[in-house]
Amino acid sequence: MSSTAIGKQGSGAEHQHLAHVVFIAGAAAVGGFLFGYDSSNINGAVLGIQKHFEVGQAATGLTVSSALIGSAVGAWFGGLLSDRIGRIRTMQLAAVLFLVSAIGAMFPFSIWDLAIWRVVGGIAIGVASVIGPAYIAEVAPPAYRGRLASLQQLAIVLGIGVSALVNWVIKDFAPLGPDGSHDLNGSLGGLEPWQWMLGAAAVPAIIYFVLASVIPESPHYLLSIGKTGKARAVLSEVEGIEDDEALDAKVADLRRGMRTERRSSVKSLLGGRFGLLPIVWVGIALAVFQQFVGINVIFYYSDTLWHSVGQNTDSLLISMVSPVINIIGTFIAIAFIDRVGRKPLLLIGSVGMAIGLGVAAIAFGNSVKVNGELSLPGAWGPVALVFANVFVLSFALSWGVILWVLLGEMFPLRIRGAALAVGTAANWVANWLVTVSFPSMGDWNLSVTYWIYAAFALLSIPFVLRFIRETKGTALENVA
């Protein structure tokens, strides 16, 4: 909103306008909430799924990670789809896919059709991962864009946290098994508790569809299909611009920017000694490092992990700690990213992750088998829990948020769109590799697996020092 408009409207109208813009951005960010919720609600259901379908670690890993295959597809084509049918219809389509996936996963016939339903949900996650930030950036006034864009990441971690809470509540209603713990394969309302965990995603999916139906279309898309009058109306609504000349100038600016963005294609990324421009390789490596430290092992498998080391009764309750810490760390990142800078926070996070993962690896190395099952004796259980969450906090206040900020800032405008798509796809592929491999690797040697993640955390330190440029305070048009 311009200072002239603020002066005309007064503080009361300004606050009312800001609240309206926050509502619009928040409604779009519900896709991010479903992104976090749908990608992590499998966590509490894994043990029940394994027992119900009588499958091993390899099939479990493929089922859990199958959503990520769909996510890579959805992320790659989400932008193209939104350009063809519009941002709002794309959000509505994602909501429908979330709903269909939740219902299908709630009533699977086999482990393999459950995997297919998760692929469908993954496509929705991929679409939501690109359409939410893109829409918010297009409708947010420049003065609030950074803070409003952070709603997407905040929504993701809230989705992860709420899914853990819902899973815990459902498990608390589950009947008790012979060992005194809640049985995920007992009868709860005619279904098994793990089915309710997967089906609960239908509720936020319906909310997302309703909210996406009441917010305005992006002015960028409206201009691209020749609806200049509607684009002007949306710009007036979201930026508070009332003067016709100011609206004309804004529309002209948007058209110039859109012409530049259209020149961005995968072909524009080619060059350099290794096929792609060096800055593109840096973006890909940044995206891969974020996943190769093993963060999603915590969010997809933590119930299984703590159960496997002897925390049987309270494993799902313990799993709720990490999402809460993740939310706290995200708030810390939002508070300091423009004060401390991107690069220092990345380095702080890398050191913290290496320490957390290293100590957790030592703790898991001291596990013993009791009655055929792993257990952490003495203080090693609490030590593993504390330092696993040191890792989560270190990730959340650094790499969790900063990757997406840097991918939007580090590339020159002429290649930004295509480079962002490649970086996002690389992140999903790396996520899939870690997720599909963890069950088998953890079953082979949990301690060594965590040492591997710790090694990537250590390697990220020289990578950041050597290749990452600080972008704090740099105008996007000045990135070369």
Side-chain angles (χ1 to χ4, degrees):
M1 180 184 294
S2 67
S3 59
T4 304
I6 292 173
K8 287 180 179 179
Q9 294 178 19
S11 59
E14 179 190 351
H15 290 310
Q16 184 178 8
H17 167 252
L18 179 57
H20 179 58
V21 173
V22 170
F23 168 76
I24 292 172
V30 174
F33 179 91
L34 272 159
F35 173 172
Y37 191 102
D38 212 59
S39 61
S40 63
N41 69 340
I42 190 75
N43 177 25
V46 167
L47 292 173
I49 291 169
Q50 283 183 311
K51 186 174 179 181
H52 180 85
F53 293 112
E54 298 180 346
V55 294
Q57 299 294 358
T60 300
L62 284 170
T63 302
V64 173
S65 65
S66 59
L68 304 176
I69 299 172
S71 298
V73 174
W76 185 259
F77 290 103
L80 297 174
L81 186 65
S82 69
D83 286 338
R84 184 175 294 273
I85 67 173
R87 283 39 163 175
I88 297 302
R89 287 185 180 177
T90 302
M91 289 184 206
Q92 291 171 333
L93 176 61
V96 170
L97 290 175
F98 276 124
L99 178 61
V100 170
S101 170
I103 295 173
M106 192 176 184
F107 302 102
F109 298 105
S110 69
I111 191 69
W112 303 117
D113 79 283
L114 173 58
I116 292 172
W117 292 121
R118 284 190 56 74
V119 170
V120 173
I123 293 173
I125 290 171
V127 172
S129 72
V130 295
I131 190 60
Y135 175 84
I136 292 171
E138 289 174 355
V139 301
Y144 309 121
R145 184 169 294 141
R147 282 164 287 181
L148 291 175
S150 68
L151 289 177
Q152 175 79 357
Q153 179 64 21
L154 181 60
I156 292 171
V157 298
L158 285 173
I160 294 171
V162 171
S163 73
L165 177 61
V166 170
N167 285 354
W168 175 70
V169 170
I170 291 172
K171 185 175 182 179
D172 200 47
F173 279 103
L176 296 178
D179 62 352
S181 64
H182 292 283
D183 184 7
L184 291 178
N185 299 102
S187 178
L188 181 62
L191 299 174
E192 295 182 11
W194 64 266
Q195 292 177 273
W196 289 109
M197 292 177 181
L198 298 183
V203 176
I206 294 171
I207 295 173
Y208 184 35
F209 185 90
V210 172
L211 289 175
S213 301
V214 299
I215 57 178
E217 181 55 88
S218 158
H220 290 65
Y221 175 70
L222 292 171
L223 285 175
S224 72
I225 60 174
K227 295 186 177 181
T228 304
K230 287 188 176 181
R232 288 167 62 90
V234 174
L235 286 169
S236 179
E237 176 184 353
V238 299
E239 296 204 23
I241 302 174
E242 296 180 357
D243 182 71
D244 287 340
E245 290 185 6
L247 277 174
D248 289 339
K250 183 66 178 180
V251 168
D253 285 342
L254 289 181
R255 282 180 169 149
R256 278 194 295 270
M258 290 165 66
R259 283 194 294 270
T260 303
E261 289 170 4
R262 286 194 188 101
R263 290 198 295 268
S264 177
S265 66
V266 175
K267 289 183 179 179
S268 65
L269 307 182
L270 301 178
R273 293 168 57 189
F274 301 102
L276 297 175
L277 295 172
I279 190 63
V280 178
W281 283 117
V282 172
I284 291 172
L286 190 72
V288 169
F289 266 117
Q290 195 221 33
Q291 290 299 323
F292 275 11
V293 295
I295 184 62
N296 281 315
V297 165
I298 298 293
F299 296 123
Y300 298 163
Y301 294 113
S302 57
D303 183 38
T304 309
L305 174 64
W306 299 118
H307 184 92
S308 72
V309 291
Q311 309 297 321
N312 295 334
T313 302
D314 297 322
S315 59
L316 196 52
L317 180 60
I318 290 171
S319 298
M320 288 179 59
V321 175
S322 296
V324 172
I325 290 175
N326 193 24
I327 293 168
I328 294 170
T330 301
F331 276 115
I332 293 172
I334 292 171
F336 288 99
I337 189 169
D338 287 323
R339 299 181 187 179
V340 177
R342 285 69 163 145
K343 192 168 181 175
L345 276 182
L346 284 177
L347 292 171
I348 292 170
S350 293
V351 172
M353 290 191 301
I355 293 172
L357 288 166
V359 176
I362 293 171
F364 292 138
N366 283 275
S367 61
V368 295
K369 280 200 172 183
V370 178
N371 297 324
E373 291 191 359
L374 285 177
S375 179
L376 290 176
W380 287 116
V383 167
L385 178 63
V386 168
F387 279 91
N389 284 301
V390 167
F391 160 57
V392 171
L393 179 63
S394 300
F395 176 89
L397 63 81
S398 58
W399 287 78
V401 173
I402 293 174
L403 168 71
W404 304 110
V405 174
L406 280 176
L407 286 181
E409 293 179 340
M410 65 189 290
F411 303 114
L413 187 59
R414 69 182 186 279
I415 66 168
R416 181 167 295 128
L420 179 57
V422 169
T424 302
N427 186 260
W428 283 117
V429 171
N431 191 341
W432 178 79
L433 288 171
V434 171
T435 305
V436 75
S437 63
F438 174 75
S440 298
M441 289 179 63
D443 197 42
W444 162 65
N445 193 312
L446 191 59
S447 178
V448 171
T449 300
Y450 265 69
W451 277 121
I452 292 172
Y453 299 150
F456 279 106
L458 281 173
L459 287 171
S460 71
I461 296 173
F463 168 75
V464 171
L465 288 171
R466 173 67 178 83
F467 295 107
I468 299 301
R469 290 175 52 191
E470 180 58 66
T471 55
K472 182 185 73 169
T474 302
L476 295 182
E477 59 271 20
N478 292 332
V479 175

